[in-house]
Amino acid sequence: MNHLLRGLAANENLPPALVDRLIAVADDETADRLAVRSDLSHAQAVALAGRVEESAVRLAYEGRLTAADTDPRARPDVALALLDTGAGPAAWARRLAADPVVEHREKLAACPNLPPDVLDTLLADPEAHVVAEVALRAPAHVAARLAAHPRAEVRRAVAANEAAPPSALASLLDGDGPPATHRCPAHEGEPPSSDHGPAPEPFWDGLHTCAAHELIRAALHNPATPAEAVTRFADHPSRLLRWPLAARRDLTPEVYETLARDPVPGIRAELAENPAIGDDVIRALADDACHDVRRALAENPRVPLDVLTRLAGGTRTGAAPLPRIASASPAEVAALAASADPAVRMLAARRRDLPAGLLDALAADPDAKVAGAVASHPGLAEPRLRDLVRRHGVQVIAGIAANPDATPALLAELARRRPPVRKALRAIAGHANATAPALLACLDDPEARVVAAGHPALPTQVITALVTGADLRSAEAAAANPSLPHAVMTELLPPAPAPAV
């Protein structure tokens, strides 16, 4: 029964009286669905929080509960959720700053816009976790002070804080802060791994490896850390410290050239996507032996078109328009569409804003992959879509089934095609233009049936039958179908529990 209750909880057409009945019998999963209903009233939210205590935090984050609904002493978790969304009073923050439960103080430290006196209390907290949460979001003057904190965990949080002063971040990389004062249980007594570099370096001494390593990584990832402070890590023995540099956009050409020669393919792939790299590095990476590097380079918005067209033939670039193609001028797109290489024509075919003439020309392309790339694009008339089916068959049918301009008649024909094209059936089952004939044909496919069960154009008697069927996923989707009769919704709900005497 729970799957049906979950479906009803998501049904946008469930009447308010039945929402009340559903709240009265809700379990955790059903409460999760109810909590996000757009029509949930304040009274219903309060009732749901009383029925399923675990739902109260979600309801608070959804804006369904207010401070007047909450006792911070009984439900500090709900009070923290309201403070996190800015809906809790300052008095709660002051109370929770002295809460004996560390997790509560740590959660409070992550809340925005806390009063200054609450921040001061949290900064003096004896638990490093609490102070570190403050350090992650602290303003510049506070972050500068915390950069000299004796606990490595706090300094690591400062290293990740983009509001921290650049000079403080640079000093953390230079090791000017005090050494870590605690041992790492996971690595205590172990020799440094090859990723952590040679043992003589103080932060690879086997005692502070984890804390120092994570601090440096955080500072290297932080765009506020000065470029001149991170440059020396481009050839560091640890790949984990070289890696963040590949994504930075403020380094010198010489550093990018060093990273382009890195032995780790993942670092080169990260670099290949970076729009700050120059033409020489781009062209060197275009010849990289690793496919993932070339694939990443194709995603670079500044890759020259001649490099991109060279990559097109031997690199899988996905179905979405590449950034450089998305920004191409009309003349560039037309030139790509006129290429003798079908892989290059496909680059243009992925644009969703092609002019009508160019769209029709690509739909008439003799290469099935090129034609298939535009099959789902809006703007193709029904005769053109039918011609695509006639010329290329199963190679383009799934794309046509996803075309927003596909007509009900065409969708029904594609759904009845034998043997069935299962990917097409799943697209048809969720298509806004699908009518009963097409949807009924989708029910034979297990995955398409789940989607079709929630389609409002499915006949009422079929929706009702699916609700009571053996396929639990389809039954849940049918219970969420807004076309499900109210009488059936009522029958699916168990009786409300009798009031306590």
Side-chain angles (χ1 to χ4, degrees):
M1 176 62 73
N2 287 351
H3 65 286
L4 296 179
L5 299 185
R6 289 196 301 268
L8 287 175
N11 194 315
E12 64 187 37
N13 202 23
L14 191 69
L18 295 187
V19 173
D20 290 336
R21 282 187 55 184
L22 187 53
I23 289 171
V25 296
D27 58 12
D28 292 353
E29 293 182 349
T30 304
D32 279 345
R33 304 281 183 89
L34 288 167
V36 296
R37 288 185 64 90
S38 61
D39 61 348
L40 194 73
S41 70
H42 177 248
Q44 288 172 330
V46 172
L48 181 59
R51 162 70 186 178
V52 182
E53 289 188 0
E54 291 78 4
S55 69
V57 171
R58 177 71 176 270
L59 289 163
Y61 274 112
E62 293 292 330
R64 307 292 186 176
L65 297 181
T66 67
D69 304 318
T70 306
D71 180 352
R73 288 165 293 193
R75 294 301 305 268
D77 55 341
V78 181
L80 285 164
L82 289 170
L83 285 166
D84 200 23
T85 60
W92 287 5
R94 295 185 178 97
R95 174 188 296 273
L96 287 162
D99 194 294
V101 179
V102 176
E103 289 77 9
H104 293 167
R105 304 198 305 274
E106 189 174 352
K107 173 67 175 174
L108 176 67
C111 294
N113 304 316
L114 293 173
D117 61 310
V118 174
L119 281 177
D120 289 341
T121 300
L122 294 171
L123 285 170
D125 198 284
E127 290 291 335
H129 292 331
V130 176
V131 184
E133 280 295 334
V134 178
L136 276 172
R137 302 160 186 83
H141 69 284
V142 175
R145 175 158 55 96
L146 292 175
H149 196 278
R151 297 299 297 268
E153 181 181 357
V154 176
R155 300 199 306 276
R156 188 254 176 229
V158 174
N161 185 341
E162 295 186 17
S167 58
L169 295 169
S171 73
L172 288 171
L173 284 181
D174 290 338
D176 290 342
T181 59
H182 66 288
R183 300 160 76 89
C184 172
H187 290 79
E188 184 172 349
E190 294 181 11
S193 73
S194 58
D195 273 347
H196 290 155
E201 296 189 44
F203 42 85
W204 313 128
D205 62 4
L207 297 179
H208 310 301
T209 294
C210 287
H213 195 274
E214 290 304 311
L215 185 153
I216 293 170
R217 286 180 69 192
L220 294 174
H221 276 290
N222 193 331
T225 304
E228 57 271 18
V230 309
T231 297
R232 68 180 185 273
F233 289 90
D235 56 0
H236 193 278
S238 171
R239 71 175 187 272
L240 297 179
L241 300 186
R242 300 194 305 273
W243 209 306
L245 272 63
R248 290 188 63 113
R249 302 187 181 186
D250 56 353
L251 304 182
T252 64
E254 292 76 19
V255 173
Y256 293 135
E257 289 168 7
T258 297
L259 293 169
R261 298 188 295 271
D262 197 283
V264 179
I267 293 176
R268 302 197 306 275
E270 186 82 47
L271 181 70
E273 284 192 79
N274 190 336
I277 61 177
D279 191 70
D280 289 345
V281 172
I282 287 176
R283 294 184 183 279
L285 293 172
D287 295 323
D288 198 289
C290 178
H291 176 272
D292 289 345
V293 175
R294 301 194 305 276
R295 172 70 179 84
L297 186 63
E299 292 283 353
N300 191 312
R302 296 189 59 225
V303 62
L305 276 183
D306 68 295
V307 174
L308 189 54
T309 56
R310 182 154 58 90
L311 291 170
T315 307
R316 297 184 301 275
T317 55
L322 295 169
R324 178 62 181 87
I325 300 302
S327 64
S329 68
E332 288 174 329
V333 173
L336 292 169
S339 172
D341 185 350
V344 176
R345 299 199 299 276
M346 279 185 67
L347 294 175
R350 295 186 185 122
R351 283 274 294 250
R352 302 285 291 190
D353 59 349
L354 295 168
L358 196 55
L359 179 60
D360 282 339
L362 289 168
D365 198 286
D367 188 281
K369 291 183 178 179
V370 177
V374 297
S376 63
H377 288 19
L380 290 173
E382 183 174 11
R384 177 65 70 189
L385 294 175
R386 290 184 177 278
D387 180 61
L388 276 169
V389 176
R390 180 185 60 78
R391 289 188 297 114
H392 299 296
V394 295
Q395 293 175 283
V396 298
I397 284 177
I400 293 170
N403 193 303
D405 294 332
T407 63
L410 179 56
L411 292 172
E413 290 179 25
L414 295 178
R416 291 192 295 263
R417 188 180 178 93
R418 293 294 178 269
V421 180
R422 299 197 179 280
K423 189 175 180 180
L425 290 176
R426 294 159 199 171
I428 294 167
H431 201 293
N433 293 342
T435 53
L439 295 170
L440 291 172
C442 292
L443 298 180
D444 290 335
D445 179 79
E447 296 301 321
R449 185 192 309 123
V450 176
V451 181
H455 201 296
L458 196 66
T460 300
Q461 65 273 22
V462 178
I463 302 172
T464 303
L466 287 169
V467 163
T468 57
D471 182 354
L472 299 186
R473 292 192 303 152
S474 296
E476 181 175 334
N481 193 318
S483 295
L484 184 68
H486 288 177
V488 179
M489 295 179 185
T490 303
E491 293 172 3
L492 293 177
L493 280 167
V501 177

